[in-house]
């Protein structure tokens, strides 16, 4: 059907819903409304904006199970992860409801007693965002909450695979009293939204989470009108397991990180580098743990790993595994598949590959799937060189109980996020973002509101 979008459950291929696809004219009208709503929203006092964002958070908390179930239906992730994501998203609302009240200016000593210098902060203007299917509500909340707190208005293009939970999440903002034109969603397929957002004279900032290639296009297209950009792009996270690491901790943490959301996260381990002296034990333990993960429909009890989002995602994963095996990798867990191309569901059994080498595609391209490739190293400096030999710089993890090794690794790794004996790095109160081609700007924490603010400085004379 033209102008309708069909949303399917990736675990069964069943149709969940059909929703209206916005036309170009409707999207332009939404941007115009966002522009018109900006001045009144920006001029409301910070305590008022804060209270509305807090009320939104309370509404979401009261509807956590409903949103989580919708998310599992459209995204496939296990229900326990969907519930966790709703909490994760709500944490951004709570955090930025507070930060709204802490947008401080300053005074600077002038170079003359006759002058005063005052610096103040203002919202950048209407924001247009594009959010991904892998975290349908958390990635949106991480942009919307600081935008609204700063006094910006917000239009988001939700991911075409998973718009339903995001739509419900935003409907709750209206129920909480946030004016309709202050936060809006649009649904389009393909590149339409990106093109309209970047060329719109009404939009002052683009915020995007998604692939590096799309991010580059959005940055290029934003240049004509010199828009602000926040880009949270791809990753290829290394995990370094040093000689002295606690192997049980390293295995537990690596499995939790690698197989979260079926490995469809931009911060999940994509290269596991293990010191040769402990490799056998690490491989044996991780293979046992991975074989114990239960794959299936995320709505069912006890499921750890859901389906792959779609056929293109599945094909990419399978091609990377086949390439590695063709080039000599061994499979110590997984490499089994349950698919129905016609209905449209794709499950990949969590897989461990060993004997991995640098000529394999999986060591360079983001997998976005439940595959853990393991390579050994003999010197820490070699591991660091391999870890940094990538255009990406989002998250990196290492395991060591030696503070000198840990500090050395921290300083040497070119990554925006570092986990030391810890892979649970995602939190509303910490600055999330990447170096190099993994992005521009940070989301979360105090840093996450900065990209939504302009700095205005005023010099006042005549005090003599
Ligand atoms: C992502 O995969 O894009 C974000 C993951 C996270 O916030 O933990």
């Amino acid at each position: 059907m033209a102008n309708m979008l069909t949303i399917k459950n990736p675990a069964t291929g069943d149709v969940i819903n059909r929703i209206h696809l916005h036309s170009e004219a409707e999207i332009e009208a939404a941007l115009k409304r966002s522009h018109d709503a900006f001045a009144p929203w920006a001029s409301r006092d910070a305590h008022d904006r804060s209270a509305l964002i807090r009320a939104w958070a309370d509404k979401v908390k009261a509807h956590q199970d409903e949103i989580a179930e919708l998310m599992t239906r459209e995204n496939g992730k296990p229900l326990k992860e969907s519930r966790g994501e709703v909490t994760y998203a709500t944490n951004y609302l709570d955090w930025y409801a507070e930060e709204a009240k802490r947008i401080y200016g300053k005074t600077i000593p002038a170079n003359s007693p006759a002058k005063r210098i005052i610096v103040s902060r203002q919202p950048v203007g209407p924001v247009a965002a594009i959010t991904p299917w892998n975290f349908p509500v958390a990635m949106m909340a991480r942009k919307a909450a600081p935008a609204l707190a700063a006094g910006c208005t917000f239009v988001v293009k939700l991911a075409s695979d998973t718009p339903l939970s995001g739509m419900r999440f935003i409907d709750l903002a209206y129920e909480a009293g946030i004016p309709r034109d202050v936060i809006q969603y649009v649904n389009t397929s393909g590149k339409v939204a990106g093109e309209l957002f970047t060329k719109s004279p009404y939009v002052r900032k683009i915020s995007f989470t998604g692939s590096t290639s799309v991010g580059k296009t959005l940055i290029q297209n934003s240049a004509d009108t010199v828009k602000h950009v926040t880009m949270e792009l791809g990753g290829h996270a290394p995990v370094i397991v040093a000689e002295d690491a606690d192997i049980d901790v390293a295995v537990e943490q690596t499995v939790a990180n690698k197989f979260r959301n079926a490995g469809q996260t931009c911060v999940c381990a994509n290269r596991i580098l293990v010191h040769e002296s402990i490799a056998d034990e690490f491989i044996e333990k991780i293979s046992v743990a991975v074989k114990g993960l239960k794959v299936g429909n995320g709505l069912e009890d006890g499921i750890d790993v859901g389906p792959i989002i779609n056929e293109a995602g599945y094909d990419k994963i399978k091609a990377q595994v086949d390439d590695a095996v063709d080039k000599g990798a061994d499979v110590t867990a997984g490499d089994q598949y349950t698919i129905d191309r016609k209905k449209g569901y794709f499950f990949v059994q969590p897989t461990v590959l060993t004997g991995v080498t640098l000529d394999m595609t999986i060591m360079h391209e983001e997998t976005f799937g439940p595959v853990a490739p393991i390579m050994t190293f003999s010197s820490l400096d070699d591991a660091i060189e391999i870890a940094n030999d990538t255009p990406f710089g989002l998250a990196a993890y290492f395991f060591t109980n030696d503070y000198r090794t840990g500090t050395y690794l921290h300083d040497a790794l070119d990554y925006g996020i570092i986990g030391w004996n810890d892979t649970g790095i995602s939190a509303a109160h910490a600055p999330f973002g990447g170096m190099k081609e993994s992005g521009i700007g940070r989301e979360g924490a105090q840093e996450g509101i900065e990209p939504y603010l302009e700095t205005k400085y005023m010099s006042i004379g005549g005090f003599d």
Side-chain angles (χ1 to χ4, degrees), residues 441-456:
R442 294 293 179 268
E443 296 188 309
Q446 203 177 13
E447 285 83 349
I449 201 163
E450 284 296 319
Y452 296 92
L453 295 167
E454 286 278 18
T455 297
K456 187 181 266 184

Side-chain angles (χ1 to χ4, degrees), residues 88 92 132 134-135 138-139 142 209-210 232-233 260-261 264-268 366 368 394 425-427 432:
Y88 182 31
Y92 285 103
N134 63 343
F135 290 90
M139 299 302 98
R142 161 153 118 180
T209 296
E232 206 268 90
L233 308 177
R260 172 181 175 226
N261 201 11
Q264 301 171 113
T265 84
C266 54
V267 288
C268 68
E366 204 172 13
F368 246 60
L394 186 55
I425 43 69
S426 306
F432 188 106

Side-chain angles (χ1 to χ4, degrees), residues 32 56 70-71 93 146 281:
K32 168 79 168 66
W56 182 16
L70 204 48
M71 194 190 304
L93 302 185
E281 187 180 346

